[in-house]
Amino acid sequence: MTMIKATNITWHEGHVSRAEREKLLNQKGALIWFTGLSGSGKSTIAYTVEHALVHRGHLCYVLDGDNIRHGLNKNLGFSAEDRKENIRRIGEVGKLLVDAGLITMTSFISPYRADRQTARDTVGKGDFLEVHCATPIEVCETRDPKGLYKKARAGELKGFTGIDDPYEAPEKPELLLDATNLSPQECAVRVIALLEGAGKIPALKE
Amino acid sequence: MTMIKATNITWHEGHVSRAEREKLLNQKGALIWFTGLSGSGKSTIAYTVEHALVHRGHLCYVLDGDNIRHGLNKNLGFSAEDRKENIRRIGEVGKLLVDAGLITMTSFISPYRADRQTARDTVGKGDFLEVHCATPIEVCETRDPKGLYKKARAGELKGFTGIDDPYEAPEKPELLLDATNLSPQECAVRVIALLEGAGKIPALKE
């Protein structure tokens, strides 16, 4: 016979609320949506923010091509329809992570304004913070960390954002960063200030 | 000019590891996959576990029809193909939540063995804990909390699991629960013991 030791446990009906999880984490759920050209600094800044926040005891998670395109969205290609569905699913997963209380960051080019608006509407006002990595294409192309611009210029990659596919810049992003003359650390400080200003994490006491 | 105050921040390269997040949370990521007939107790047990764990300071999240079918999977129906994709996406989202360090619970009938095996393979050995809510159909049908069995018997619902669609019971679930004579609390205690035994959360000190 199994002994049931239910002491020290409080039983409740219904769901645990987002507010209860946020209290446990000492933070409020948020989705920081990085958008910008390939090479504009999105992922580097996101990971820099992640390290700084975890160091401060906050729970973060980054969604990017590595964990999304090879997982949830591995059955999607790069047609217009599939790109749209790609961003839709990322917005929906972001919403779940925000509801779970996490400071969530997404790092995708996400070139189309309408798709980003869908994500914003899904996640909801106040929880969606759009960060435009507005590093000029000349700078991105000079950096070209993955050699993608070179391939696109050579015609080996078709539909490459900024070359033969448009990038629709955000009109009113919550934050605009140009990484031309800013280090990832300097950019991260601005993102963290955005989170503090939005009341998502407590400001550091001096 | 914006003052950059980067003191008290440690900068790192690359991703924050799952282990670092788990250390922060004092728990290890896990996916508890509840499977069983409609009315077998899946959701009630999951929410009871969630409350108990949050009370112990652990971060949990429940994926169920409410937050999945109306969000990420709202573009899926109930064809065989769509049911399979439904479970595939839930497994992939579960994997992300486990990587984020959360004790995650999924509450879906998930009637097909092959689909659950896909989810198990996706999430990975040691992180996937299958809980079969094996309450007999007679008991589920007597309870019928949503009136679905009545509709299915009347022919108003087609393809209803246990009536005119099969339920393939797990062969080796990590835990088997029959809620006929057990309260949700008694079931929850067993699920929590499973998590403790798997080293996912520390056992309560007496």
Side-chain angles (χ1 to χ4, degrees), chain A residues 2 4-16 20-21 24-25 47-52 54-61 63-64 66-68 70-75 85 88-89 92-93 96-97 99-100 102 185-186 188-190 192 204-206, chain B residues 2 4-16 20-21 24-25 47-52 54-61 63-64 66-68 70-75 85 88-89 92-93 96-97 99-100 102 185-186 188-190 192 204-206:
Chain A
T2 307
I4 306 296
K5 296 189 287 185
T7 50
N8 296 324
I9 300 178
T10 310
W11 304 107
H12 294 266
E13 291 295 313
H15 303 215
V16 168
E20 286 174 273
R21 285 187 292 270
L24 190 72
L25 292 169
Y47 292 123
T48 306
V49 170
E50 186 187 29
H51 272 292
V54 167
H55 187 72
R56 281 167 63 164
H58 292 295
L59 187 65
C60 305
Y61 199 67
L63 300 174
D64 63 12
D66 286 342
N67 55 23
I68 289 292
H70 298 127
L72 177 65
N73 291 356
K74 67 182 172 189
N75 56 358
E85 172 67 4
R88 187 193 72 81
R89 290 188 197 167
E92 292 285 1
V93 172
L96 293 171
L97 289 166
D99 188 46
L102 279 80
Q185 288 78 3
E186 288 167 325
V189 167
R190 286 163 162 78
I192 292 167
L204 273 189
K205 293 189 180 72
E206 293 293 313
Chain B
T2 308
I4 305 296
K5 296 188 286 185
T7 50
N8 295 326
I9 300 179
T10 310
W11 304 108
H12 294 265
E13 292 293 315
H15 305 215
V16 168
E20 286 174 271
R21 285 187 291 270
L24 190 71
L25 292 169
Y47 291 123
T48 306
V49 171
E50 186 188 31
H51 271 293
V54 167
H55 188 72
R56 281 166 63 165
H58 292 295
L59 187 65
C60 306
Y61 199 68
L63 301 174
D64 62 13
D66 285 341
N67 56 22
I68 289 291
H70 298 126
L72 177 66
N73 291 356
K74 68 184 172 190
N75 57 357
E85 173 66 3
R88 187 195 73 79
R89 290 187 199 169
E92 292 287 359
V93 172
L96 293 170
L97 289 167
D99 189 44
L102 280 80
Q185 288 78 2
E186 287 168 324
V189 168
R190 288 164 162 79
I192 292 167
L204 273 190
K205 291 187 183 73
E206 294 293 317

Side-chain angles (χ1 to χ4, degrees), chain B:
Chain B
M1 182 187 154
T2 308
M3 290 292 291
I4 305 296
K5 296 188 286 185
T7 50
N8 295 326
I9 300 179
T10 310
W11 304 108
H12 294 265
E13 292 293 315
H15 305 215
V16 168
S17 69
R18 172 177 163 183
E20 286 174 271
R21 285 187 291 270
E22 292 178 334
K23 191 180 168 191
L24 190 71
L25 292 169
N26 190 33
Q27 67 186 37
K28 292 188 192 304
L31 180 61
I32 305 175
W33 188 284
F34 289 93
T35 173
L37 298 171
S38 179
S40 63
K42 302 181 298 297
S43 290
T44 305
I45 299 168
Y47 291 123
T48 306
V49 171
E50 186 188 31
H51 271 293
L53 290 185
V54 167
H55 188 72
R56 281 166 63 165
H58 292 295
L59 187 65
C60 306
Y61 199 68
V62 179
L63 301 174
D64 62 13
D66 285 341
N67 56 22
I68 289 291
R69 276 280 180 190
H70 298 126
L72 177 66
N73 291 356
K74 68 184 172 190
N75 57 357
L76 297 176
F78 291 88
S79 68
E81 192 187 353
D82 277 9
R83 280 175 183 246
K84 187 177 170 177
E85 173 66 3
N86 180 51
I87 297 298
R88 187 195 73 79
R89 290 187 199 169
I90 293 163
E92 292 287 359
V93 172
K95 183 184 182 177
L96 293 170
L97 289 167
V98 168
D99 189 44
L102 280 80
I103 308 288
T104 311
M105 290 177 275
T106 59
S107 176
F108 299 92
I109 297 173
S110 49
Y112 306 129
R113 210 171 279 141
D115 294 347
R116 295 193 306 265
Q117 185 62 45
T118 300
R120 182 183 286 271
D121 293 343
T122 297
V123 175
K125 199 176 158 73
D127 291 334
F128 186 94
L129 302 168
E130 190 174 17
V131 177
H132 180 199
C133 293
T135 312
I137 191 166
E138 298 76 22
V139 176
C140 299
E141 193 165 356
T142 304
R143 294 181 177 177
D144 204 9
K146 299 174 190 166
L148 297 174
Y149 285 96
K150 201 178 168 189
K151 283 189 184 172
R153 292 286 182 199
E156 293 166 31
L157 274 178
K158 298 287 181 192
F160 193 76
T161 300
I163 305 293
D164 56 348
D165 216 58
Y167 178 79
E168 300 173 359
E171 288 169 338
K172 290 183 183 177
E174 274 72 12
L175 182 65
L176 189 144
L177 293 171
D178 179 343
T180 309
N181 295 307
L182 290 178
S183 69
Q185 288 78 2
E186 287 168 324
C187 291
V189 168
R190 288 164 162 79
V191 175
I192 292 167
L194 176 70
L195 284 168
E196 290 176 347
K200 297 298 185 182
I201 56 170
L204 273 190
K205 291 187 183 73
E206 294 293 317

Side-chain angles (χ1 to χ4, degrees), chain A residues 31-34 42-47 50 61-74 86-87 90 93-94 97 104-110 146, chain B residues 14-16 21 96 99:
Chain A
L31 180 60
I32 305 174
W33 189 284
F34 289 95
K42 301 181 297 299
S43 290
T44 306
I45 298 167
Y47 292 123
E50 186 187 29
Y61 199 67
V62 179
L63 300 174
D64 63 12
D66 286 342
N67 55 23
I68 289 292
R69 275 280 181 192
H70 298 127
L72 177 65
N73 291 356
K74 67 182 172 189
N86 180 52
I87 298 299
I90 293 162
V93 172
L97 289 166
T104 310
M105 291 178 274
T106 60
S107 175
F108 299 91
I109 295 172
S110 48
K146 300 175 190 166
Chain B
H15 305 215
V16 168
R21 285 187 291 270
L96 293 170
D99 189 44

